[in-house]
Amino acid sequence: MLHITTLKVSEINIDDKQCFDRYFKIADLRVSEMNFTNFFMWRDYYKIQYSIVNDFLCIISIMDKDQPFCFFPIGDYGRTDELRCTLYILREYFSEMGWNFKLKRVSSEQAAVFKSLGFYYNSTEDRDNYDYLYSVTSLSTLAGKKLDGKRNHINKFKKLYTFEYEEITESNISDCKTILENWCIQRNYTEQDSLVAERKANLDLLDNYKLLGLKGAIIKVDGIPQAFTVGEQLNSDTVVIHIEKANADIHGLYPLINQQFIANEWTHMEFVNREQDLGLEGLRKAKLSYNPVSFVEKCVIELC
């Protein structure tokens, strides 16, 4: 029996983790956005609100008040009648608010589900938000000719420096914050709204590191903390990397922390999702250089 109610939305807080986790586990998606940590750390920047409708988790962003959007509802996609009803309720809510109903960051898997529901719609490829998916074996070993360059960078680093690998704990979170602050200062972050937002999102994650149930690592170079990274299990076979920050002046440090984190923490998983490139040419080149095995393709859907 379908349960139709007036949509009531709430803002996200740390106590919502258990609720969100339940829905993400049901859906078992490889999409980088589809985890509580992502929505929590970026909740202020994207002005995230959510509601539970017909036992689907519905997440809305009103970052751009002229063009709010909805993520595809999260839950059991076998319940097609309930999902169809949920989308009608969301569309009605957007209409009441004077917004065009738009679904963003929709994965190919979700788009196929949507197509089966019988709506008339337009779909547009969202290449800038494709996630890069890598083999855990490949990133942990850097084996093969295509990754010769990464191994060479690490070997050069090891000839110039000594390093220590440390798991992140409450006792060294302050080291992560120092690395982050230096990374931001190197990029004159106060002059770019996106970097100001990224700094805040990273700090929110670090301040709630234990409650979020994350894994992370610090690399000390000649005894000084110079890089850190944080990730977590995304679905049944994939880990997602939320943060990777390093002193860019130290050649080979980024490839090193990337390889060390996967080799030390994630060899029981099959894939690594290193998120999207946002259409930034340099970031796209860097992500492609690690030889992804595939992409998590995404699209934008607008109902006719």
Side-chain angles (χ1 to χ4, degrees), residues 62-268:
I62 55 170
M63 173 188 172
D64 182 346
K65 292 187 178 180
D66 293 325
Q67 292 188 324
F69 69 91
C70 190
F71 292 86
F72 197 79
I74 303 148
D76 179 358
Y77 295 139
R79 299 171 58 243
T80 53
D81 288 343
E82 291 88 343
L83 178 57
R84 186 182 297 108
C85 178
T86 298
L87 287 162
Y88 277 124
I89 291 171
L90 288 168
R91 184 171 67 174
E92 182 63 23
Y93 176 73
F94 269 60
S95 178
E96 290 172 359
M97 299 298 291
W99 304 333
N100 293 325
F101 184 49
K102 185 179 292 187
L103 296 162
K104 289 189 176 182
R105 314 291 176 88
V106 181
S107 71
S108 298
E109 178 184 348
Q110 292 169 321
V113 172
F114 183 83
K115 185 177 181 180
S116 71
L117 299 178
F119 289 96
Y120 292 100
Y121 67 96
N122 293 316
S123 176
T124 307
E125 178 187 87
D126 189 8
R127 173 62 181 86
D128 292 351
N129 281 299
Y130 280 17
D131 289 333
Y132 288 73
L133 204 66
Y134 305 87
S135 157
V136 163
T137 300
S138 178
L139 289 194
S140 63
T141 64
L142 297 179
K145 188 173 182 180
K146 290 184 178 180
L147 295 175
D148 277 350
K150 304 302 180 186
R151 294 197 306 276
N152 290 339
H153 290 319
I154 291 175
N155 289 335
K156 184 176 179 179
F157 170 91
K158 289 179 177 178
K159 289 178 181 178
L160 296 173
Y161 309 100
T162 62
F163 79 93
E164 302 167 63
Y165 178 96
E166 288 185 0
E167 291 186 23
I168 294 177
T169 65
E170 290 185 328
S171 65
N172 57 20
I173 286 285
S174 60
D175 290 335
C176 299
K177 292 181 178 180
T178 299
I179 295 165
L180 172 64
E181 197 64 22
N182 290 336
W183 183 92
C184 291
I185 290 169
Q186 283 181 324
R187 287 157 181 76
N188 298 315
Y189 75 98
T190 55
E191 298 177 8
Q192 300 182 55
D193 289 344
S194 61
L195 288 182
V196 171
E198 183 174 354
R199 176 180 178 273
K200 184 187 183 302
N202 286 194
L203 286 172
D204 280 352
L205 179 149
L206 292 172
D207 285 338
N208 293 276
Y209 182 83
K210 185 175 181 180
L211 291 171
L212 290 168
L214 304 169
K215 283 188 177 183
I218 292 173
I219 296 291
K220 288 184 175 180
V221 180
D222 294 341
I224 300 172
Q226 296 283 13
F228 81 98
T229 186
V230 177
E232 68 178 303
Q233 186 168 331
L234 177 62
N235 77 342
S236 56
D237 62 9
T238 305
V239 54
V240 62
I241 306 302
H242 293 299
I243 305 175
E244 188 178 84
K245 295 288 183 279
N247 184 342
D249 292 335
I250 301 177
H251 182 84
L253 185 53
Y254 270 109
L256 178 78
I257 193 168
N258 182 344
Q259 181 270 329
Q260 286 285 305
F261 187 46
I262 302 303
N264 280 281
E265 308 296 342
W266 299 109
T267 53
H268 61 290

